[in-house]
Amino acid sequence: MVERVASSEVANRLNEWYDTIKRQDIKKAAIMKHDLQKAMDDMEEDQNVLLYYNLIDSRYKLLLEQYDESGTILESLKDQTERADTDNLLQYYYYFFSGLYEFNMNNFTHAIRLYHKAENHLTTIPDEIEHAEFHFQLAVAYQSIDQNFFSINHAEKALDIYLKQENYVSRIALTQMIIAANKLDLNQYLAAEKLYKKAILIAVDSNQTFIELLGYYNLGLCYEVQEKLELARDCFEKALDFDFPQENKKETYLRIKYMLGRVLFKMGFLQEGVKWFEDAVQLANETNDKIYQVKLEIIHAVYFDQKELSIDEGLKVLKEQSLWHDVEDLAFNAARFYKKEGFYQLASKYYEEGLNAQQKIPSLYEEVGSA
Amino acid sequence: MVERVASSEVANRLNEWYDTIKRQDIKKAAIMKHDLQKAMDDMEEDQNVLLYYNLIDSRYKLLLEQYDESGTILESLKDQTERADTDNLLQYYYYFFSGLYEFNMNNFTHAIRLYHKAENHLTTIPDEIEHAEFHFQLAVAYQSIDQNFFSINHAEKALDIYLKQENYVSRIALTQMIIAANKLDLNQYLAAEKLYKKAILIAVDSNQTFIELLGYYNLGLCYEVQEKLELARDCFEKALDFDFPQENKKETYLRIKYMLGRVLFKMGFLQEGVKWFEDAVQLANETNDKIYQVKLEIIHAVYFDQKELSIDEGLKVLKEQSLWHDVEDLAFNAARFYKKEGFYQLASKYYEEGLNAQQKIPSLYEEVGSA
């Protein structure tokens, strides 16, 4: 006779699986799922643990960006979860993950309703770290659709909790950076600078090199939009100065080198800039990053060739992919360069191009069936 | 011996006072307050009714825009209200009004926290209309600081309630218009148009002429930003066609005539536009509206004199008053006109001016002590 596995043991392993998913460790989460499936087969019958497994599985699918599958699982669990006698924690997971799912589907107001329901269940859940996780995820989500005050509100709640814990230093620094990103969106530059610097200090104290580097990169972006080019340059150079295995973070390095090159071009240091520009081109080719290839072509066309046609072709590619933030940024960048150089007709053209792109940005957040 | 007034009777009159305040009937609310103060003096002792009076008084001060006084009252009630045995409804009022107060003080994240607390108390309050009032106020507030998805979320909740009631037709139309304004902010033009048209139909059905007129004005604005000038013109003309006592709504008529003049100028119908332009100038003088006087001077300078100096002087006045939305709108309007006419240097200048103003907009929402 086969020995049955105790359901409480499986539940513990499900907790660990969820922790792994939250840490976004896809590789380990896949192995754990494989083992868990075996354990589930051998487990004594327990409807609650089965429901728990399915809920965490829906969250796992979100991590893998298999949204349809996640939605199908959640839909199948709806009736069972919404029964009044269902465990509070499981109801919380159901509404929270359903909120994450609907958010990913661009159903923002529906997601907000679900998050609200999840929060009502959250109040009775003792695990503080799960509270922080909830607020952290909402802060990230709301910042991405410019709902900045709500994002800050949740980020501060998450921060309060993480600050009372040990071993959450990197989350503390990341949460500060989310608040800073909101302040930057609100053009509150001083507040954003302060928070990025704080995040950097926290990272230094805890030897989190990559977070420190990210802090400098973001601080540099914050200076760049303010046209504090000297300071921006310093930050990007510092970010590149770290002794860090670039191989694992090529995408991040590509971004930093692109920005450093661009800032140097803007300052008029073409020869210095071209060194970083070429580095960035190489990284864009290695990672086969079509978007950055185009962005690099555009800035080259602006500062070197002054080839209107190349700029327009580059912008066209970005437009076809609805990268309106990038079109806006690069069109205004070109417009300002041409205005400074006295090419007013070209400047007017790219100002208008930037404004058109700006108008399109909210369409990125368009809700399904909202028209 | 003086006969004491029963506290229950005073409580009923406080309800009526609050209703009057919610309807923004300042004159009547002032008379009611005067009478209530006498009744309070003669009232049998009742701590709850006294607290209720003070809370509604803090709300009354908000209506009168006497924010400091409202804040002082709320501060003095803090300890008493937050005691666990305090009536749930009174706690709700305390948090809701404190939220409104903090919002007016630009402490948005603090206001959001207070609204959240109010909402927790609201769940146990049976009065549906108060639920709708709560959600309606939040929808208005969140729209004003571009937190559009949250605004829509609350507006939809308010709408669900109003739709089940009788005698709330004007609120239904207004709530539709709030949702429409959010859609417009999100550049979801089709959705906004649909909602404005819906609000107009509701107003027609219920003979709410002024709301119908407002609907056409807003629909016109919605067309104007899309450069659907013919349709915008129709809407503004319709809004002006109503048989309505213009004397009581001079500010609204000023806005509509300004927009109609501007649209006609943009279409090249200078002679037709100038008639409405002059009407608007007269209204701006009658109401002593300095801002509209300046805005009218600017559009005249753009379309008639092409006097750069007049435009710059006008924009300077608007900038001094931090009217960044207006500066942005009028600068881009000038830029586009000059681009079309082939004056590229001027166009570039005003594009840049518009972008600078745009950057300043979030500073209008800046939170106290956020830097």
Side-chain angles (χ1 to χ4, degrees), chain A residues 181-204:
Chain A
N182 280 293
K183 299 283 181 186
L184 188 54
D185 288 340
L186 293 166
N187 297 348
Q188 297 175 6
Y189 302 119
L190 279 184
E193 283 174 22
K194 242 164 105 171
L195 284 161
Y196 283 129
K197 285 177 190 165
K198 220 181 204 174
I200 290 169
L201 284 180
I202 295 167
V204 173

Side-chain angles (χ1 to χ4, degrees), chain A residues 88-89 92 115-128 130-132 134-135:
Chain A
N88 210 12
L89 181 66
Y92 157 73
Y115 287 149
H116 217 128
K117 282 190 185 169
E119 201 167 3
N120 286 338
H121 289 286
L122 185 64
T123 48
T124 61
I125 291 167
D127 178 7
E128 283 280 298
E130 185 58 33
H131 284 242
F134 177 79
H135 293 299

Side-chain angles (χ1 to χ4, degrees), chain A residues 271-307:
Chain A
Q271 287 321 309
E272 259 184 278
V274 90
K275 182 177 149 305
W276 299 108
F277 170 84
E278 280 167 3
D279 267 21
V281 170
Q282 197 187 322
L283 276 174
N285 293 341
E286 280 175 28
T287 56
N288 198 21
D289 189 328
K290 299 259 185 297
I291 305 305
Y292 266 85
Q293 286 169 353
V294 171
K295 287 164 76 164
L296 286 158
E297 277 165 28
I298 294 174
I299 63 166
H300 196 268
V302 171
Y303 294 103
F304 284 84
D305 324 326
Q306 273 147 54
K307 269 195 207 142

